Amino acid sequence: MSNASKRQILVVDDNPSVRETIAMLLVSAGYDVAAAEDGFAALSQLRKTLPDIIVSDLEMPRYVWV
């Protein structure tokens, strides 16, 4: 993918194994990846930068609908 290094992705999942695996796969594909363990951490990340896409688990403790 030619512009993959310029794309930012936020991965949100309460399961560390899932979150880290998805992030690792995306980084190896050339994406800039941020990760958050719940909805509140995701909101904190969103205050820093707006990603091009968010990949999120929908069933998490402390999930915040934005």
Side-chain angles (χ1 to χ4, degrees):
M1 185 172 263
S2 61
N3 291 331
S5 62
K6 296 181 182 180
R7 302 285 185 211
Q8 286 194 321
I9 300 175
L10 174 60
V11 176
V12 187
D13 199 303
D14 59 320
N15 183 319
S17 299
V18 172
R19 184 175 64 245
E20 292 166 12
T21 300
I22 293 171
M24 181 181 63
L25 289 169
L26 292 169
V27 166
S28 69
Y31 293 97
D32 183 17
V33 178
E37 67 273 2
D38 59 32
F40 289 104
L43 285 175
S44 179
Q45 288 285 340
L46 291 173
R47 288 187 183 108
K48 296 175 190 173
T49 184
L50 188 60
D52 295 298
I53 190 167
I54 299 172
V55 177
S56 179
D57 180 358
L58 293 178
E59 294 186 25
M60 292 184 290
R62 296 175 34 121
Y63 188 77
V64 177
W65 288 94
V66 183

